Amino acid sequence: MKARSLSLLLAALLIAPTAVACESEGAYCDPVANWSAERQAWETQMLELFNEARAAGANCGSNGDFAPADPLILEPALRCASRVHSMDMHNHNFFDHTNPDGEGPGDRFARAGWSGGGWGENIIAGYGSAENAFAGWMDSDGHCANIMNPSFNQVGIGYFNGPNGYGDYGTAGFGSN
């Protein structure tokens, strides 16, 4: 019994620093922490579509051809910022990279606790399925280039749906560490 209690205590000590680090951005990320299974499935499918495209390479029109690139890794702070933005666009009925309070992608990423290097952001609304949204992004030269950019190795994807505006909103925040 003592060995078991010790193991639990050690596990709690090893996990505690992570929990404390996350508390600093808790107020910002708390509203999007418990996401529905439907929204999570959309986000997961989008990550799979991104990585399939990156594995194959793509032509992004005026931004040129992109050779195959390493897969994007899901980054929790970028996901938080992307979810917050998708929900914000829906709840406040706007569609823009900058919200009505003047907060842009870099501001959101920092508030969520991300401290990487370069970044990019794609937003989309009214496309419904992840497949349709992905096709829309790949048909747009600039959005395609963000997806295929080999400098980006992290991504956070946020999907929100409801009765307002376009009905469904997606945000993908890309970053380099």
Side-chain angles (χ1 to χ4, degrees), residues 143-156:
H143 295 101
C144 175
N146 273 346
I147 294 165
M148 299 304 299
N149 186 337
S151 296
F152 294 145
N153 59 0
Q154 303 174 330
V155 68

PDB file of all heavy atoms in Angstrom, residues 143-156:
ATOM      1  N   HIS A 143      -4.236  30.913 -48.412  1.00  0.00           N
ATOM      2  CA  HIS A 143      -4.590  29.929 -47.386  1.00  0.00           C
ATOM      3  C   HIS A 143      -3.857  28.613 -47.628  1.00  0.00           C
ATOM      4  O   HIS A 143      -3.359  27.984 -46.692  1.00  0.00           O
ATOM      5  CB  HIS A 143      -6.100  29.708 -47.363  1.00  0.00           C
ATOM      6  CG  HIS A 143      -6.859  30.912 -46.943  1.00  0.00           C
ATOM      7  ND1 HIS A 143      -7.489  31.740 -47.832  1.00  0.00           N
ATOM      8  CD2 HIS A 143      -7.080  31.445 -45.718  1.00  0.00           C
ATOM      9  CE1 HIS A 143      -8.067  32.735 -47.177  1.00  0.00           C
ATOM     10  NE2 HIS A 143      -7.835  32.586 -45.888  1.00  0.00           N
ATOM     11  N   CYS A 144      -3.776  28.212 -48.895  1.00  0.00           N
ATOM     12  CA  CYS A 144      -3.026  27.010 -49.261  1.00  0.00           C
ATOM     13  C   CYS A 144      -1.565  27.144 -48.823  1.00  0.00           C
ATOM     14  O   CYS A 144      -0.986  26.213 -48.257  1.00  0.00           O
ATOM     15  CB  CYS A 144      -3.132  26.798 -50.768  1.00  0.00           C
ATOM     16  SG  CYS A 144      -2.156  25.451 -51.453  1.00  0.00           S
ATOM     17  N   ALA A 145      -0.973  28.321 -49.069  1.00  0.00           N
ATOM     18  CA  ALA A 145       0.433  28.540 -48.701  1.00  0.00           C
ATOM     19  C   ALA A 145       0.645  28.424 -47.195  1.00  0.00           C
ATOM     20  O   ALA A 145       1.681  27.902 -46.750  1.00  0.00           O
ATOM     21  CB  ALA A 145       0.905  29.902 -49.203  1.00  0.00           C
ATOM     22  N   ASN A 146      -0.312  28.899 -46.391  1.00  0.00           N
ATOM     23  CA  ASN A 146      -0.179  28.716 -44.937  1.00  0.00           C
ATOM     24  C   ASN A 146      -0.172  27.234 -44.579  1.00  0.00           C
ATOM     25  O   ASN A 146       0.630  26.792 -43.749  1.00  0.00           O
ATOM     26  CB  ASN A 146      -1.332  29.405 -44.194  1.00  0.00           C
ATOM     27  CG  ASN A 146      -1.070  30.853 -43.901  1.00  0.00           C
ATOM     28  OD1 ASN A 146       0.052  31.338 -44.009  1.00  0.00           O
ATOM     29  ND2 ASN A 146      -2.114  31.564 -43.531  1.00  0.00           N
ATOM     30  N   ILE A 147      -1.068  26.467 -45.177  1.00  0.00           N
ATOM     31  CA  ILE A 147      -1.149  25.038 -44.886  1.00  0.00           C
ATOM     32  C   ILE A 147       0.134  24.324 -45.288  1.00  0.00           C
ATOM     33  O   ILE A 147       0.640  23.464 -44.565  1.00  0.00           O
ATOM     34  CB  ILE A 147      -2.371  24.407 -45.600  1.00  0.00           C
ATOM     35  CG1 ILE A 147      -3.673  24.971 -45.015  1.00  0.00           C
ATOM     36  CG2 ILE A 147      -2.341  22.883 -45.516  1.00  0.00           C
ATOM     37  CD1 ILE A 147      -4.914  24.703 -45.860  1.00  0.00           C
ATOM     38  N   MET A 148       0.681  24.707 -46.425  1.00  0.00           N
ATOM     39  CA  MET A 148       1.834  23.990 -46.983  1.00  0.00           C
ATOM     40  C   MET A 148       3.187  24.551 -46.538  1.00  0.00           C
ATOM     41  O   MET A 148       4.213  23.924 -46.763  1.00  0.00           O
ATOM     42  CB  MET A 148       1.757  24.027 -48.517  1.00  0.00           C
ATOM     43  CG  MET A 148       0.520  23.355 -49.084  1.00  0.00           C
ATOM     44  SD  MET A 148       0.308  21.634 -48.561  1.00  0.00           S
ATOM     45  CE  MET A 148       1.810  20.893 -49.209  1.00  0.00           C
ATOM     46  N   ASN A 149       3.221  25.695 -45.899  1.00  0.00           N
ATOM     47  CA  ASN A 149       4.465  26.361 -45.516  1.00  0.00           C
ATOM     48  C   ASN A 149       5.328  25.437 -44.650  1.00  0.00           C
ATOM     49  O   ASN A 149       4.953  25.108 -43.526  1.00  0.00           O
ATOM     50  CB  ASN A 149       4.141  27.645 -44.753  1.00  0.00           C
ATOM     51  CG  ASN A 149       5.352  28.469 -44.435  1.00  0.00           C
ATOM     52  OD1 ASN A 149       6.462  27.988 -44.375  1.00  0.00           O
ATOM     53  ND2 ASN A 149       5.123  29.756 -44.200  1.00  0.00           N
ATOM     54  N   PRO A 150       6.496  25.030 -45.154  1.00  0.00           N
ATOM     55  CA  PRO A 150       7.339  24.105 -44.385  1.00  0.00           C
ATOM     56  C   PRO A 150       7.938  24.737 -43.122  1.00  0.00           C
ATOM     57  O   PRO A 150       8.411  24.019 -42.244  1.00  0.00           O
ATOM     58  CB  PRO A 150       8.441  23.702 -45.372  1.00  0.00           C
ATOM     59  CG  PRO A 150       8.500  24.830 -46.350  1.00  0.00           C
ATOM     60  CD  PRO A 150       7.100  25.383 -46.440  1.00  0.00           C
ATOM     61  N   SER A 151       7.890  26.066 -43.006  1.00  0.00           N
ATOM     62  CA  SER A 151       8.384  26.726 -41.793  1.00  0.00           C
ATOM     63  C   SER A 151       7.432  26.515 -40.623  1.00  0.00           C
ATOM     64  O   SER A 151       7.846  26.580 -39.468  1.00  0.00           O
ATOM     65  CB  SER A 151       8.556  28.227 -42.029  1.00  0.00           C
ATOM     66  OG  SER A 151       9.542  28.453 -43.005  1.00  0.00           O
ATOM     67  N   PHE A 152       6.161  26.290 -40.928  1.00  0.00           N
ATOM     68  CA  PHE A 152       5.199  26.022 -39.862  1.00  0.00           C
ATOM     69  C   PHE A 152       5.266  24.550 -39.478  1.00  0.00           C
ATOM     70  O   PHE A 152       5.188  23.674 -40.334  1.00  0.00           O
ATOM     71  CB  PHE A 152       3.771  26.375 -40.299  1.00  0.00           C
ATOM     72  CG  PHE A 152       3.532  27.836 -40.542  1.00  0.00           C
ATOM     73  CD1 PHE A 152       2.677  28.248 -41.544  1.00  0.00           C
ATOM     74  CD2 PHE A 152       4.146  28.810 -39.765  1.00  0.00           C
ATOM     75  CE1 PHE A 152       2.432  29.590 -41.774  1.00  0.00           C
ATOM     76  CE2 PHE A 152       3.921  30.160 -39.987  1.00  0.00           C
ATOM     77  CZ  PHE A 152       3.062  30.553 -41.003  1.00  0.00           C
ATOM     78  N   ASN A 153       5.422  24.309 -38.187  1.00  0.00           N
ATOM     79  CA  ASN A 153       5.447  22.918 -37.700  1.00  0.00           C
ATOM     80  C   ASN A 153       4.400  22.666 -36.621  1.00  0.00           C
ATOM     81  O   ASN A 153       4.275  21.554 -36.124  1.00  0.00           O
ATOM     82  CB  ASN A 153       6.836  22.525 -37.215  1.00  0.00           C
ATOM     83  CG  ASN A 153       7.350  23.414 -36.097  1.00  0.00           C
ATOM     84  OD1 ASN A 153       6.680  24.347 -35.662  1.00  0.00           O
ATOM     85  ND2 ASN A 153       8.554  23.141 -35.646  1.00  0.00           N
ATOM     86  N   GLN A 154       3.639  23.690 -36.265  1.00  0.00           N
ATOM     87  CA  GLN A 154       2.600  23.573 -35.243  1.00  0.00           C
ATOM     88  C   GLN A 154       1.296  24.139 -35.788  1.00  0.00           C
ATOM     89  O   GLN A 154       1.314  25.022 -36.639  1.00  0.00           O
ATOM     90  CB  GLN A 154       2.970  24.378 -33.989  1.00  0.00           C
ATOM     91  CG  GLN A 154       4.271  24.008 -33.358  1.00  0.00           C
ATOM     92  CD  GLN A 154       4.616  24.955 -32.210  1.00  0.00           C
ATOM     93  OE1 GLN A 154       4.256  26.124 -32.202  1.00  0.00           O
ATOM     94  NE2 GLN A 154       5.319  24.431 -31.235  1.00  0.00           N
ATOM     95  N   VAL A 155       0.198  23.628 -35.262  1.00  0.00           N
ATOM     96  CA  VAL A 155      -1.102  24.162 -35.650  1.00  0.00           C
ATOM     97  C   VAL A 155      -2.077  24.005 -34.495  1.00  0.00           C
ATOM     98  O   VAL A 155      -1.959  23.075 -33.684  1.00  0.00           O
ATOM     99  CB  VAL A 155      -1.655  23.477 -36.922  1.00  0.00           C
ATOM    100  CG1 VAL A 155      -2.024  22.020 -36.659  1.00  0.00           C
ATOM    101  CG2 VAL A 155      -2.833  24.238 -37.516  1.00  0.00           C
ATOM    102  N   GLY A 156      -2.999  24.922 -34.418  1.00  0.00           N
ATOM    103  CA  GLY A 156      -4.144  24.803 -33.521  1.00  0.00           C
ATOM    104  C   GLY A 156      -5.381  25.060 -34.353  1.00  0.00           C
ATOM    105  O   GLY A 156      -5.419  26.007 -35.129  1.00  0.00           O
TER     106      GLY A 156
END
